[in-house]
Amino acid sequence: MSATRLLVLGVVRMYGRAHGYQVRRELLTWSADKWANVQPGSIYHALKKMTAEDLLEQVDVEPGEGGPDRTAYRITREGDQEFHLLLAKALSEPTAAAAEVAAGVSFLTALPRKRAISLLEHRLVILESEERSASLMIEDTAHWGQAEHVAELFRLWSAQARTGLEWTRALIARLAAGDYEMAGDAGRAFGDPPA
């Protein structure tokens, strides 16, 4: 999965209709160029590629102000399905890259509350398993004939899993308590799906 793909689909979906410069400007306000390495070229490439894949459609061409014309895009039904698939993977799979998780969190409120909690609970189950596996590996390192220092790798994995567990449990609790305006709540977050 690509964080850029999720971010571009999400911003176009959020605006309902957006051109590349608008997508770029929005993502810059989120500092996505730093945490997801989203560059102008990757945004325009994603727009063209996803248009060719029928995930986006061109809806308008506006004259550029002293520059090239601006093509506006809108998300298609297929694009909305892809957006939700990528969002679900980013939130539910602990193995997703950090940029993908960050992109998923950026669009968390595009989901109904129960769906978001369900995805995070799936993440929780996997993280609990990873933490338990790492703990068992720490205990059994000597029995495997591994060098003692290899246990540090297992300690790192265990610490990462514990940190992920703590964050995920806290986010689930905040969502269950009603924090954040979610899709399906009174007033929609991040735009309506395409008609």
Side-chain angles (χ1 to χ4, degrees):
M1 178 180 96
S2 160
T4 301
R5 191 172 177 92
L6 175 55
L7 288 166
V8 170
L9 281 171
V11 170
V12 172
R13 183 181 189 274
M14 181 177 77
Y15 278 105
R17 167 188 181 284
H19 51 75
Y21 179 74
Q22 189 176 12
V23 173
R24 178 176 175 234
R25 189 179 61 224
E26 182 67 29
L27 292 177
L28 283 174
T29 68
W30 302 0
S31 299
D33 56 322
K34 294 175 181 59
W35 54 263
N37 195 30
V38 176
Q39 302 302 315
S42 60
I43 292 169
Y44 291 103
H45 174 74
L47 288 166
K48 288 179 184 172
K49 185 173 183 351
M50 289 189 288
T51 300
E53 296 172 353
D54 295 324
L55 302 177
L56 296 173
E57 61 184 356
Q58 292 183 7
V59 291
D60 198 6
V61 177
E62 305 169 359
E65 297 172 13
D69 291 346
R70 293 182 178 166
T71 303
Y73 299 88
R74 174 174 53 214
I75 197 166
T76 63
R77 285 194 186 281
E78 293 80 9
D80 197 57
Q81 290 172 351
E82 178 76 0
F83 167 77
H84 279 91
L85 176 66
L86 295 174
L87 182 55
K89 285 182 180 182
L91 294 174
S92 67
E93 296 179 3
T95 56
E100 294 165 357
V101 175
V105 171
S106 297
F107 292 110
L108 174 70
T109 59
L111 294 170
R113 188 171 306 279
K114 284 184 180 181
R115 175 74 172 139
I117 290 171
S118 174
L119 291 168
L120 291 166
E121 286 172 340
H122 178 78
R123 177 184 199 85
L124 202 59
V125 168
I126 296 170
L127 284 168
E128 287 168 344
S129 173
E130 288 178 0
E131 199 279 329
R132 181 68 182 135
S133 293
S135 295
L136 290 172
M137 286 189 263
I138 292 167
E139 293 171 16
D140 291 340
T141 299
H143 295 73
W144 297 356
Q146 299 285 337
E148 279 184 35
H149 72 279
V150 173
E152 292 305 323
L153 178 60
F154 306 142
R155 286 186 185 94
L156 172 64
W157 292 344
S158 179
Q160 289 171 331
R162 281 193 312 274
T163 300
L165 282 166
E166 180 182 325
W167 173 79
T168 305
R169 286 180 181 131
L171 179 54
I172 290 169
R174 285 189 294 277
L175 290 172
D179 286 8
Y180 314 119
E181 183 180 303
M182 305 292 289
D185 290 352
R188 288 190 52 89
F190 282 110
D192 291 324

